[in-house]
């Protein structure tokens, strides 16, 4: 299964389809073939692996797949039926396919008399496919909400200046995380006030190979000379009135992870709607004071109604501290990696 995960990593990290790997073993445990999914419209991992074998060579074999073989006809045929037709005797996979149309492959295999085992290295496969699984289950991208603030929670001075609250190591980490996201979002207020490029860049300002799709929430017009319009990818504009509907639209466009950078109005809206799945808070060792807080009113009228998060990581970045948190209280088995 770990080899199948290695193969899955070769597939495209973005798009509507998951990264899947497959290893086909002989009855004696020898590797007969390997395959992985190369993107929408190409053979799925199981079919890719079977295509490397002569007809009949997979009869009695075991297929080890990271994700439950699909059970639907899309741009390619159902992998479950391909395994049945190939005469595979056993299928082992990591996690169930949560797709409304693609799930059910395990039942098809079992109905055909194939021995099916699920849950092998499930935690590792879940972590590898986290964004895709979340987007498929929830019908929206997984939202990471980021801000940088002073110790007293301010994102800017009274005159609006904010560059730079945090240091170069923190900014480098932000750009690395931008490159990992499918899309990056701000509100029109931030576009008008700060004119962000919304690109992922290296220390010299050069664009990284992987760029997030820029998304702008709001109904105000974007100036014709705005930096975001010079982004290498075409921006997506959304009204931001019904965030849940907007996120569903992004998920239909293949966006599985959304990196929300602000400003405070947009960040507060996501929190109030309960749509922040992870917080990245970069804290600088400074006190600013004044009215420009990271988060505004999110509808909490009494302490009993506060939104609770649990820390999943604490990272020292130069003079700054990155706090990573997710909704809910910590589970007993949760271990926070304190690298401070």
């Amino acid at each position: 299964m770990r080899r199948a995960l290695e193969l899955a990593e070769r597939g495209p990290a973005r798009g509507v389809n998951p990264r899947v790997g497959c290893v086909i073993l002989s009855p004696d445990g020898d590797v007969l073939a390997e395959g992985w999914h190369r993107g929408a419209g190409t053979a799925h991992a199981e079919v890719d692996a079977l295509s490397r074998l002569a007809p009949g060579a997979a009869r009695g074999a075991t297929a080890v797949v990271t994700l439950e073989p699909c059970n639907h006809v899309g741009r390619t045929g159902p992998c479950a039926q391909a395994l049945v037709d190939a005469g595979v005797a056993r299928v082992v996979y990591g996690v169930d396919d949560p797709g409304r149309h693609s799930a059910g492959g395990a039942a098809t295999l079992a109905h055909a008399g194939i021995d099916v085992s699920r849950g092998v290295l499930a935690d590792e496969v879940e972590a590898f496919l986290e964004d895709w699984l979340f987007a498929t289950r929830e019908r929206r991208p997984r939202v990471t909400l980021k801000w940088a603030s002073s110790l007293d929670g301010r994102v800017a001075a009274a005159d609006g200046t904010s560059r730079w609250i945090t240091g170069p190591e923190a900014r480098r980490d932000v750009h690395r995380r931008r490159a990992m996201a499918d899309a990056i979002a701000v509100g029109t207020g931030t576009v008008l006030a700060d004119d962000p490029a919304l690109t992922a860049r290296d220390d010299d300002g050069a664009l990284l190979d992987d760029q997030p799709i820029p998304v702008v929430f709001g109904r105000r017009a974007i100036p014709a000379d705005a930096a975001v319009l010079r982004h290498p990818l075409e921006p997506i504009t959304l009204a931001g009135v019904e965030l849940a509907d907007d996120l569903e639209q992004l998920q239909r466009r293949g966006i599985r992870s959304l990196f929300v950078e602000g400003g405070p109005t947009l960040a507060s809206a996501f929190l109030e709607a309960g749509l922040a799945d992870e917080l990245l808070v970069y804290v600088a060792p400074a006190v600013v004071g004044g009215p420009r807080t990271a988060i505004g009113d999110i509808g909490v009228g009494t302490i009993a109604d506060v939104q609770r998060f649990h820390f999943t990581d604490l990272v020292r970045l130069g003079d700054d501290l990155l706090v990573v948190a997710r909704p809910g209280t910590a589970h007993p088995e949760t271990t926070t990696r304190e690298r401070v």
Side-chain angles (χ1 to χ4, degrees):
M1 185 62 76
R2 287 202 173 93
R3 175 57 181 165
L5 277 169
E6 291 176 0
L7 295 168
E9 289 179 348
R10 300 182 184 182
R14 291 174 174 155
V16 296
N17 291 348
R19 292 190 289 175
V20 181
C22 175
V23 178
I24 297 179
L25 303 173
S26 73
D28 295 328
D30 298 323
V31 175
L32 297 177
E34 298 178 335
W36 67 93
H37 183 49
R38 291 165 172 78
T42 66
H44 290 189
E46 301 93 320
V47 174
D48 183 50
L50 290 171
S51 70
R52 303 173 191 276
L53 296 174
R59 191 161 301 280
T62 295
V64 181
V65 194
T66 51
L67 184 68
E68 177 189 11
C70 70
N71 200 43
H72 79 300
V73 177
R75 296 170 67 178
T76 59
C79 294
Q81 190 59 49
L83 293 168
V84 172
D85 294 342
V88 168
R90 186 183 183 212
V91 173
V92 177
Y93 67 89
V95 299
D96 293 332
D97 187 332
R100 284 181 289 184
H101 304 296
S102 55
T108 296
L109 294 167
H111 183 73
I114 294 175
D115 180 25
V116 178
S117 298
R118 57 167 56 85
V120 176
L121 295 186
D123 289 346
E124 293 182 34
V125 177
E126 281 272 353
F128 175 73
L129 289 174
E130 180 179 30
D131 288 341
W132 182 85
L133 288 170
F134 182 97
T136 304
R137 290 165 178 160
E138 303 297 327
R139 312 288 187 257
R140 67 171 179 84
R142 192 172 74 89
V143 174
T144 295
L145 182 58
K146 167 262 174 183
W147 68 80
S149 71
S150 59
L151 286 171
D152 56 338
R154 268 56 181 182
V155 295
D159 64 355
T161 55
S162 60
R163 296 184 180 179
W164 296 100
I165 288 179
T166 54
E169 291 87 350
R171 297 196 294 274
R172 186 180 303 118
D173 188 73
V174 169
H175 283 279
R176 179 183 67 84
R177 293 176 186 270
R178 285 183 179 184
M180 294 168 58
D182 290 344
I184 180 173
V186 294
T188 50
T190 296
V191 171
L192 295 172
D194 298 337
D195 195 25
L198 300 185
T199 51
R201 304 181 297 276
D202 64 17
D203 291 344
D204 297 324
L207 296 180
L208 299 178
D209 291 337
D210 294 320
Q211 291 294 321
I213 298 171
V215 178
V216 179
F217 288 92
R219 289 179 287 185
R220 285 181 286 180
I222 300 174
D225 60 347
V228 69
L229 298 180
R230 298 190 296 275
H231 194 286
L233 301 176
E234 183 177 356
I236 297 172
T237 57
L238 298 166
V241 177
E242 296 291 342
L243 286 177
D245 293 341
D246 290 341
L247 291 180
E248 185 177 343
Q249 182 183 149
L250 292 177
Q251 192 265 343
R252 290 198 300 267
R253 298 178 71 154
I255 293 174
R256 303 178 293 200
S257 59
L258 182 65
F259 194 75
V260 178
E261 287 228 17
T265 300
L266 185 63
S268 300
F270 270 93
L271 283 168
E272 185 172 12
L275 294 172
D277 305 302
E278 182 177 62
L279 302 183
L280 299 179
V281 183
Y282 295 84
V283 182
V287 174
V288 178
R292 296 183 180 269
T293 57
I295 301 298
D297 183 13
I298 59 172
V300 175
T302 178
I303 197 67
D305 296 332
V306 299
Q307 295 188 24
R308 294 289 180 183
F309 291 78
H310 67 272
F311 297 139
T312 60
D313 212 352
L314 299 171
V315 187
R316 182 74 174 264
L317 296 168
D319 292 332
D320 305 313
L321 180 66
L322 168 61
V323 179
V324 185
R326 293 194 175 188
T329 56
H331 299 291
E333 67 273 15
T334 299
T335 300
T336 301
R337 295 179 296 127
E338 297 189 26
R339 292 176 280 147
V340 297

